[in-house]
Amino acid sequence: MNERIVNRGNGYEGVLSTNKVLRNTYFLLSLTLLFSAVIAGIAMVMHLPRVHWIVTLVGFYGLMFLTERNRDSSLGLVFVFALTGFMGYTLGPILNMYMGAGMGDTVVTALGGTALTFFGCSIYALTTKRDLSFLNGMLMAGFIAILVVMVANIFLKMPMLSLAISGMFVLFSSAAILLTTQSIVRGGETNYISATVTLYVSIYNLFLSLLQILGVVNSNDN
């Protein structure tokens, strides 16, 4: 009898802990997306220059490393906003390029598609009883495939290959959202800072990929 009471107590505490991580993750994700959007808007209004891809990579992975290293302290929150602010800045010049080309509707459509994909994946991961851990292997294989194709396209510079990379990123990001969300629900991910960064990066890549795909489709129609 006592064992049952203890087990129920542990189970209840586990649910509370999981709900807390999920709640904190979505709250922090909302703040970082808003902060990133504000920085992107400032970069657009001020017509700030596009960041070189080497600076983008160094800044992204450097801030990502610092965030993960400090994820168990309040300093981790500082690096989360530094990372998402930096990524927001990189969006500004890209969005200006599309707006300048008269493709504002493409930006809105990509934004809407990103939101629908994120909410759809999140709802499915929160409600399904299916174990999505098999996506771990697919994500690793997908990451390697994307990396190889991206390196190849540096030399080949093929528009269709760039389009294929964007399509791969859409699938990769969607799978990452599914896996991360279910990992939180099932207690596998217990750090809301790490979870927030994973979801933010997935949303960022998803938006840019949809933007490029829709941009190519609309330009061909015209």
Side-chain angles (χ1 to χ4, degrees):
M1 183 66 177
N2 290 335
E3 279 187 33
R4 289 183 182 178
I5 294 175
V6 171
N7 288 336
R8 286 179 182 176
N10 290 339
Y12 182 67
E13 289 177 2
V15 171
L16 287 179
S17 178
T18 296
N19 289 339
K20 182 179 179 181
V21 174
L22 189 63
R23 184 173 61 252
N24 288 344
T25 297
Y26 282 143
F27 180 67
L28 182 58
L29 180 63
S30 300
L31 292 179
T32 53
L33 288 173
L34 178 61
F35 180 65
S36 189
V38 170
I39 298 299
I42 293 173
M44 291 177 68
V45 171
M46 297 182 66
H47 295 281
L48 297 178
R50 191 166 183 173
V51 182
H52 193 278
W53 66 272
I54 294 179
V55 177
T56 300
L57 287 178
V58 172
F60 171 72
Y61 285 108
L63 290 171
M64 176 83 81
F65 170 78
L66 291 172
T67 302
E68 283 297 313
R69 188 176 181 84
N70 296 278
R71 65 179 185 172
D72 294 319
S73 68
S74 57
L75 191 59
L77 291 172
V78 175
F79 287 119
V80 166
F81 282 98
L83 171 64
T84 55
F86 175 73
M87 298 312 289
Y89 173 85
T90 63
L91 275 178
I94 296 174
L95 294 178
N96 266 344
M97 181 182 68
Y98 279 89
M99 300 296 286
M103 302 177 73
D105 56 336
T106 300
V107 175
V108 174
T109 303
L111 187 61
T114 301
L116 287 174
T117 302
F118 173 73
F119 286 121
C121 289
S122 297
I123 291 172
Y124 179 77
L126 289 170
T127 57
T128 186
K129 294 181 179 180
R130 185 180 182 185
D131 185 6
L132 301 176
S133 59
F134 69 92
L135 291 174
N136 275 310
M138 295 178 62
L139 283 174
M140 181 57 67
F143 175 77
I144 295 173
I146 291 173
L147 189 61
V148 170
V149 176
M150 286 180 64
V151 171
N153 202 39
I154 292 176
F155 303 99
L156 298 176
K157 300 184 184 301
M158 296 173 59
M160 290 306 297
L161 198 54
S162 297
L163 200 60
I165 292 172
S166 296
M168 294 169 70
F169 262 116
V170 169
L171 295 176
F172 184 87
S173 299
S174 300
I177 292 170
L178 284 168
L179 187 60
T180 302
T181 305
Q182 188 178 79
S183 182
I184 296 172
V185 172
R186 298 195 172 188
E189 177 59 81
T190 58
N191 189 285
Y192 71 97
I193 290 181
S194 293
T196 297
V197 170
T198 301
L199 291 176
Y200 174 88
V201 172
S202 298
I203 293 171
Y204 178 92
N205 287 330
L206 184 60
F207 173 66
L208 279 185
S209 300
L210 288 176
L211 188 61
Q212 183 172 7
I213 292 171
L214 292 172
V216 171
V217 172
N218 288 343
S219 63
N220 288 338
D221 289 342
N222 295 333

